Amino acid sequence: MNSLLKIPSLLLGLIKPKSNKLEIECYGQGDSAIEMQQIQQIIEWLFASLMNAGYQGMSHLIWDLGEQDWKQVALTGLLRDEPVFLYRCNDRPSLPPEHCYWRLMTEYSSLRIYQLEVLER
């Protein structure tokens, strides 16, 4: 029943007009114990990576403490065809939504950034 209540917010996210400029929306940043300088470096790296890939639009960055439920954020991004990233603040990332996985982005030196990918059937 609880997931049925989230359907209207997912649908609203789908009809929201897509951005034509590069934006990174962050979630959970206030919960993490990461210093502002480190946060800035991570966002700058992600911004440069997205620009280098030629991406324009909204992307999502989750500051994850582990064992958190980010399914609504992740699914909204996936349904709108927007990249979803996760920065692992603790030992393990939170579980991805069903039929998805967190792909480690080895391009970043800390090995703590993941991109949400859909499992191939």
Side-chain angles (χ1 to χ4, degrees), residues 21-38:
K21 63 181 179 178
L22 183 55
E23 296 179 65
I24 300 174
E25 189 165 341
C26 293
Y27 308 87
Q29 183 177 341
D31 299 335
S32 68
I34 300 174
E35 296 178 16
M36 282 305 289
Q37 182 180 4
Q38 188 179 8

Side-chain angles (χ1 to χ4, degrees), residues 32-52:
S32 68
I34 300 174
E35 296 178 16
M36 282 305 289
Q37 182 180 4
Q38 188 179 8
I39 289 171
Q40 183 177 348
Q41 289 173 346
I42 293 164
I43 290 175
E44 285 175 0
W45 177 84
L46 187 55
F47 204 94
S49 297
L50 289 166
M51 284 179 60
N52 191 38

Side-chain angles (χ1 to χ4, degrees), residues 61-99:
L61 175 59
I62 298 168
W63 301 93
D64 181 52
L65 298 174
E67 303 300 320
Q68 292 180 282
D69 183 6
W70 295 110
K71 288 179 183 143
Q72 185 171 359
V73 171
L75 290 175
T76 300
L78 280 177
L79 290 172
R80 296 193 72 214
D81 201 24
E82 298 169 341
V84 179
F85 302 95
L86 178 137
Y87 183 87
R88 176 178 51 85
C89 298
N90 287 330
D91 294 336
R92 293 184 176 181
S94 295
L95 293 174
E98 222 175 302
H99 306 294

